Amino acid sequence: MGTDHLLYRIYRFYRDGFRNMTVGRTLWALILLKLFILFAILKVFFFPDFLGRFDNETQRGEYVRDQLIERNAP
Amino acid sequence: MLLSTTDLMSVVDWSRAQFAMTAIYHWLFVPLTLGLGFICAIMETIYYRSGNPFWKRTVKFWMRIFGINFAIGVATGIILEFEFGTNWSNYSHFVGDIFGAPLAIEGIMAFFMESTFIAVMFFGWNKVSKGFHLASTWLTAIGANLSALWILVANAWMQYPVGMTFNPETARNEMTSFWEVLFSPVAMNKFFHTVTSGYVLAAVVVIGISAWFLLKKREEVMARKSMVVAALFGGVSMLLLLWTGDGSAKIIAKVQPMKLASMEALYDGKSGAGLSVIGLLKNESQRSQEDEPFHFNLEVPKMLSWLSFGDGNAYVAGINDLIDGNPEQGILSTEEKMRRGRIAIEALADYRDARQSGDSTRIASTLQKFDPKTQEGKAFLNDYFKYFGYGYLTSPQDTVPNVPLIFYAFRVMVGLGCYFLLLFIVVLYLAKKERLGQYPWMNHLMLWSIPLVYLCSVSGWIVAEFGRQPWTIQDLLPTVAAVSRVDSTSVMVTFFIFVALFTTLLIAELMIMTRQIKIGPHDEQ
Ligand code: HEM
């Protein structure tokens, strides 16, 4: 790919931008750490999709309908 | 596993606490992004037109503050979606379609707009043309505000569910009109009120930080000029905010009368109701039904009726009218709504039983009730299903939110709003007289206005969200039916994890931000 190619120029734009960052580096480290905690720890271990244990929409619908009926006040 | 009622209430309480805490923390980061983006765009436009490097240096400083706030706040909203899926699964399923579309649009748009234009905004100085850079700054600001639109449309739908029908087969609501959802009066008012509140917040933050520079006798020209831009932007936004705030109250009067009555601590409805400017409420537990709710109350006569319905003599329903009913005013009692709600739930149970029996005539006849295209369906949806959520309540009192909290939060929001308007006017007046920054006490006041504007903004959400309790979806789904059957201990654990995570993020933000403010604007090499 020649150095004038648009994609190369876009790549260089981002690369140089990241290289010249000062406070930005700390911020990127923070963003990545935050995303790691959110997706690799919290989502996996603490926030499972509650209805994800059902195989399909029909089963999910049936479960929620049962719940909506069963919680009816006496 | 079946949870007992007490366990379920504990799940509801912890899940609510967790949601409130994450939403409040998330909202601490968002409004500054909404407003500061535009302030940067305005400053860069001045630079573009004047070519004066002073403005470039100034806008780069404020962009750095924008960048820090954006980086720390970004993705904190995703946690709310995790909570929907785990703690509020009935709710998530029930609303499915309505939420899916706006949130998907939000996700895609935010990703493309933010990843391209923000990059140009930060990396593109001296690399792309001045015009392209300016356009990127404006588009970053517009993109952030458009993201807010979709989230707020979803929130507005919960407060005023329109443009959908309930499908008992899937147990979900299905969108019938995207435009009705998007352009519902609640959505439009909420969007404009919320984004303009972000503009006011950003203006106050810029003025406060500039005041700090004036106190330190550093960067005084930058500080004064930034203050003027912020005060002009904030002043215009404040007028829009007043207008949309008034619009919100008018709509609440129609669609969430209990919220309005709580905002005003209006127990007994009346014609020609006055607006409480400031009042001290009696303790709920010490007050008997007949007692006046206030120790003292400064009231503008007829104002509440006029503001709510455009007629000083109009009847405004009070909490007791909404609980006990008021046939003269055509208000059903909550007991009656609960009865109708239970009938609607029974209709759903009939449909389920019919499905289980496999009897196709029974299935068809039970389904008819939910079909808005048939006469029977229309009547059932309007007379019974409309009150579906009331069927889960155990007492009419369940529909009364925390009145003192909402009453005071509303006054904090409006009172501080008036103070900020005055602040913007004073800044502009002093700037004209060339006396801006000469009074240290005033600089201190401006600096301390920063926490006040955050308090004001969070108070707005307290009014909106506590005011609609117990509903996750107005009249259709109370919290007790919306929550998942999860173990409350696990919700409690994640609550504390979030407290720790968010507090760390907030401390990081404050540390990085104050450090960068102390460094001040950079000179071009
Ligand atoms: C000065 C006059 C103001 C009036 C009359 C007013 C009125 C209202 C009303 C009635 C609501 C509830 C809306 C709902 O539940 O749907 C609300 C919400 C809110 N307000 Fe205000 N407000 C004012 C000023 C402010 C100020 C100065 C700020 C912040 C800087 C602010 C921020 C908010 C926020 C963030 C919400 C929640 C979003 C919403 O539901 O619209 N408000 N306001």
Side-chain angles (χ1 to χ4, degrees), chain B residues 20-34 69 73 76-77 80 148 151-152 190-191 193-199 201 453-462 502 506:
Chain B
M21 192 265 300
T22 28
I24 287 177
Y25 259 123
H26 173 60
W27 185 247
L28 287 183
F29 301 110
V30 179
L32 186 61
T33 302
L34 296 179
N69 183 64
T76 48
L80 297 170
I151 304 284
L152 292 166
K190 190 174 278 288
F191 171 65
H193 192 66
T194 309
V195 294
T196 45
S197 82
Y199 307 163
L201 181 137
V453 78
Y454 280 93
L455 173 72
C456 176
S457 179
V458 168
S459 301
W461 278 116
I462 288 178
F502 274 120
L506 192 65

Side-chain angles (χ1 to χ4, degrees), chain B residues 346-418:
Chain B
E346 273 160 31
L348 185 64
D350 284 347
Y351 167 70
R352 178 193 55 183
D353 297 345
R355 259 174 82 110
Q356 280 166 358
S357 73
D359 176 347
S360 53
T361 7
R362 231 180 109 198
I363 296 179
S365 83
T366 45
L367 256 186
Q368 271 223 334
K369 285 197 170 151
F370 294 90
D371 183 357
K373 287 187 223 85
T374 66
Q375 212 49 37
E376 186 193 354
K378 239 189 236 150
F380 176 78
L381 291 174
N382 200 39
D383 295 338
Y384 293 92
F385 188 75
K386 194 172 151 192
Y387 305 108
F388 185 77
Y390 284 87
Y392 298 100
L393 306 179
T394 42
S395 143
Q397 285 301 324
D398 292 351
T399 56
V400 185
N402 184 333
V403 177
L405 179 67
I406 298 161
F407 176 84
Y408 290 121
F410 185 61
R411 268 134 206 89
V412 167
M413 171 178 63
V414 177
L416 284 173
C418 297

Side-chain angles (χ1 to χ4, degrees), chain A residues 3-73:
Chain A
T3 49
D4 289 349
H5 195 282
L6 179 66
L7 284 179
Y8 183 72
R9 275 164 48 206
I10 292 177
Y11 159 73
R12 218 174 42 198
F13 176 81
Y14 276 89
R15 188 199 60 194
D16 293 350
F18 282 116
R19 269 194 192 156
N20 294 331
M21 279 194 312
T22 45
V23 57
R25 284 187 197 205
T26 322
L27 293 177
W28 271 107
L30 245 166
I31 293 178
L32 294 178
L33 180 69
K34 177 172 60 178
L35 289 177
F36 176 78
I37 296 174
L38 285 183
F39 287 100
I41 302 177
L42 288 171
K43 178 73 191 146
V44 175
F45 297 107
F46 295 97
F47 286 92
D49 179 7
F50 188 79
L51 299 176
R53 57 207 156 111
F54 298 106
D55 293 337
N56 52 45
E57 270 304 302
T58 318
Q59 286 180 4
R60 274 189 275 278
E62 275 166 8
Y63 172 80
V64 173
R65 191 171 44 234
D66 284 347
Q67 287 293 308
L68 291 176
I69 293 165
E70 179 201 305
R71 288 197 203 170
N72 187 359

